[in-house]
Amino acid sequence: MASDLPSLLVVTGPDDAVELELALERQSVIVLAIHHRSLLDTTHQLRLKLTYCPAYPLAPIHTSRESDDEAMRIFSMRVWAANQGTQASYIDVTSPSTPLRSEELVITEDNIRSFCQNIRDRSWRYATKGSKGLQAPMEFLYLGSMSTMTRVMVSSLYGPGQLDLVHSFNSIELMDNAPTMFAGDKIYSTAAITGLYNTSSGKVLEISSTVYCNDQPVATIRSTIHGRGHYVEPTKAFRHVHGEKFSVVLPTDADVAVLESKQWFVYREDAAHQVKPNVQLDFCLDSQYRYRTDSLYSSVLTTGTVAIKTPTGANAHIADVDFEWSAITGNSVTEYLGQYLVNSGVSLFDNHGYSLTASVNADLLQVTAPSTNLQYGRLSGDGNPFHFNPYIADLARHPGTICHGLWTSASTRAIMECIVAGGDSERIRAYQVEFVGILLPNDTIRTSFSHVGMKDGRMLVKGQTSKTNGEPVMLVEAEIDQLRTAY
């Protein structure tokens, strides 16, 4: 204490560990140090410098956004590296072309049982060993991709904004003949950064991962991260869209002639078929966008294939797409095709389908979040501090230590497996979620599902997970194989 002013304030927890320090370095400079224990119990400090300006009585304490953002990024990087254990060292991601491969994860029976207990999954499949061992739920594919995703989020390529991250979208699609996972299997992932660009509310990061089980590719995972209030320099922004599919039908000879006149539409030399009116064309396109400003592309490159259904039902590759342009506000190829789209393989029911949960026991449709996020963080490898540290959560303007979005996703998928898929996990072939609300520890959520249509012979199911007061937390969509039937 100097001049009757306290020079240091220390806040400790129930275990006497220091949680917070507030120090007066000079008469007008305050240092706020938040102590955070990572998932592996190593302690790290987030140090923020605040300036006291009595000339502004309504808001006398100020901070430097730029210096605090960099302090938060370095702090997040150190916490991430610590959560990976002593075998992994942090390697910065400075370019979208940086190779991203996760460490190999060996699935264990203890992890399966602990994970299912944490997400409230009561299926006997994950509790009882069969002839091949103890089965693992779909979420273990996410665990195989978590470390690479986190590595990008704390990188210098992504830049500042770790405190304001929001996981807004996640999808998983199983490949054909993907094997069921069991204890003892080894999983890892490779990832690609497919987008880093600005929206009106902040920058968006898109990551696509391929997950392998015992060296066999089994699933594709796509994740979208939103950085609220933070932006990337437009000339460094980009977006890659792979495998975008357009099924179109041109109704007249004149429409066919317009397509054939496009410079980007090139018939193959060995094409045995030509485009005809009222015949479906299937385009599969890859597009690369580079930005000049947030609304103007510096370049657009779109390539791909065009296939036509032959009279025998086979697909014939008849043409290619090769489009490149600069200083453009949109993609001329996709905008043109959008005029002639048809619903290929998707049949939607009237009146938004029918409920699959209207008559189901309420106890089967609702779960209560754990009182702490610590166990899920350790099981998943997602050690973002605002899930555990109340001071950092408050700094991020959250109402508390918010639950992991993927915890909500996993608990909802477990209900879907039980109610919609009849307990057969292999029937859920694609599963995607959009996070639209915040869940806190001890909150109770309830899920409803509806069968809204069919897609390529699979049930198309949509649902919503909400708090007990009706506030939505997550929207879900899934493709589910029909029951096998014998005649």
Side-chain angles (χ1 to χ4, degrees):
M1 181 177 293
S3 304
D4 297 325
L5 292 175
S7 59
L8 179 66
L9 172 68
V10 178
V11 177
T12 59
D15 57 356
D16 292 330
V18 176
E19 294 184 348
L20 191 72
E21 290 184 31
L22 200 62
L24 184 63
E25 285 197 344
R26 293 191 296 275
Q27 198 163 11
S28 62
V29 178
I30 304 167
V31 176
L32 173 65
I34 301 175
H35 294 246
H36 174 71
R37 279 184 289 186
S38 69
L39 298 177
L40 297 181
D41 289 329
T42 55
T43 301
H44 302 272
Q45 277 191 26
L46 172 61
R47 295 176 62 85
L48 306 173
K49 285 194 174 183
L50 313 174
T51 304
Y52 176 59
C53 302
Y56 302 98
L58 294 180
I61 297 178
H62 295 262
T63 182
S64 168
R65 173 75 178 264
E66 185 175 334
S67 62
D68 284 358
D69 281 345
E70 183 60 16
M72 186 65 204
R73 192 186 76 80
I74 299 300
F75 167 78
S76 299
M77 177 266 289
R78 289 172 177 164
V79 170
W80 177 86
N83 288 338
Q84 304 310 303
T86 56
Q87 295 180 345
S89 58
Y90 176 76
I91 302 174
D92 195 10
V93 178
T94 57
S95 163
S97 60
T98 301
L100 298 169
R101 172 171 168 157
S102 71
E103 297 290 319
E104 191 173 73
L105 171 68
V106 180
I107 302 174
T108 68
E109 292 184 8
D110 285 345
N111 280 349
I112 294 171
R113 292 193 171 97
S114 297
F115 186 88
C116 291
Q117 182 181 18
N118 184 260
I119 66 169
R120 312 302 194 242
D121 191 328
R122 293 168 281 192
S123 172
W124 62 269
R125 292 175 180 270
Y126 313 122
T128 306
K129 292 174 64 172
S131 58
K132 296 182 179 180
L134 187 63
Q135 184 175 331
M138 176 188 286
E139 281 70 31
F140 274 75
L141 295 171
Y142 289 134
L143 307 191
S145 65
M146 181 57 65
S147 63
T148 51
M149 189 166 72
T150 311
R151 180 180 161 199
V152 176
M153 291 190 292
V154 300
S155 68
S156 56
L157 172 69
Y158 180 79
Q162 285 69 31
L163 202 61
D164 299 295
L165 287 172
V166 175
H167 195 169
S168 58
F169 175 83
N170 212 72
S171 73
I172 184 166
E173 184 172 358
L174 296 180
M175 298 179 181
D176 294 338
N177 302 316
T180 304
M181 294 179 295
F182 295 92
D185 287 344
K186 300 175 181 178
I187 56 176
Y188 67 90
S189 72
T190 59
I193 305 167
T194 55
L196 181 59
Y197 56 92
N198 294 326
T199 66
S200 59
S201 57
K203 60 186 174 183
V204 171
L205 171 68
E206 295 177 343
I207 300 176
S208 178
S209 303
T210 300
V211 186
Y212 297 79
C213 179
N214 300 330
D215 294 323
Q216 177 183 344
V218 293
T220 299
I221 294 176
R222 293 182 175 87
S223 300
T224 301
I225 311 296
H226 184 200
R228 304 170 298 168
H230 295 266
Y231 300 88
V232 63
E233 187 178 326
T235 54
K236 295 181 180 179
F238 65 94
R239 190 180 187 193
H240 299 163
V241 182
H242 299 286
E244 196 172 15
K245 291 179 170 54
F246 298 84
S247 294
V248 304
V249 172
L250 305 177
T252 67
D253 287 325
D255 293 316
V256 171
V258 170
L259 173 64
E260 292 177 330
S261 70
K262 300 289 185 183
Q263 289 186 339
W264 47 260
F265 181 86
V266 183
Y267 274 116
R268 291 170 57 92
E269 291 183 2
D270 59 349
H273 303 272
Q274 299 285 310
V275 178
K276 294 181 180 180
N278 297 310
V279 175
Q280 181 173 310
L281 301 174
D282 294 317
F283 288 74
C284 184
L285 305 178
D286 292 339
S287 298
Q288 298 182 28
Y289 302 88
R290 303 291 303 187
Y291 289 78
R292 179 174 294 177
T293 69
D294 291 341
S295 58
L296 178 68
Y297 297 119
S298 61
S299 67
V300 175
L301 172 64
T302 296
T303 58
T305 61
V306 186
I308 192 172
K309 286 280 188 189
T310 67
T312 62
N315 287 321
H317 179 186
I318 64 166
D320 294 305
V321 172
D322 191 356
F323 170 81
E324 186 171 7
W325 207 262
S326 59
I328 189 172
T329 58
N331 187 327
S332 301
V333 177
T334 58
E335 290 172 0
Y336 167 79
L337 296 177
Q339 304 174 63
Y340 301 99
L341 285 179
V342 294
N343 246 345
S344 177
V346 179
S347 175
L348 298 178
F349 301 152
D350 294 333
N351 302 316
H352 307 292
Y354 61 92
S355 173
L356 296 169
T357 50
S359 60
V360 175
N361 188 316
D363 289 343
L364 296 176
L365 298 173
Q366 66 182 34
V367 295
T368 299
S371 59
T372 172
N373 303 317
L374 189 59
Q375 185 183 23
Y376 183 83
R378 285 175 172 157
L379 290 166
S380 67
D382 184 351
N384 196 318
F386 58 58
H387 291 304
F388 319 102
N389 190 305
Y391 303 105
I392 295 178
D394 188 59
L395 200 61
R397 302 181 300 281
H398 292 311
T401 52
I402 61 174
C403 294
H404 295 77
L406 288 180
W407 181 92
T408 310
S409 171
S411 64
T412 298
R413 188 211 52 81
I415 295 172
M416 175 182 284
E417 181 181 319
C418 174
I419 302 298
V420 183
D424 186 352
S425 59
E426 295 183 16
R427 289 179 59 194
I428 303 177
R429 307 305 299 173
Y431 181 78
Q432 69 178 47
V433 295
E434 180 184 355
F435 303 110
V436 296
I438 286 177
L439 188 69
L440 295 175
N442 295 317
D443 277 351
T444 297
I445 50 177
R446 181 183 173 90
T447 296
S448 61
F449 299 115
S450 293
H451 183 192
V452 299
M454 303 298 296
K455 183 176 181 180
D456 295 325
R458 294 173 177 167
M459 296 172 62
L460 185 61
V461 175
K462 291 188 177 183
Q464 178 174 297
T465 298
S466 307
K467 297 181 184 179
T468 51
N469 63 3
E471 179 186 345
V473 173
M474 188 183 75
L475 305 178
V476 59
E477 183 175 316
E479 296 174 28
I480 300 179
D481 276 341
Q482 297 186 66
L483 283 169
R484 293 180 182 177
T485 305
Y487 293 95

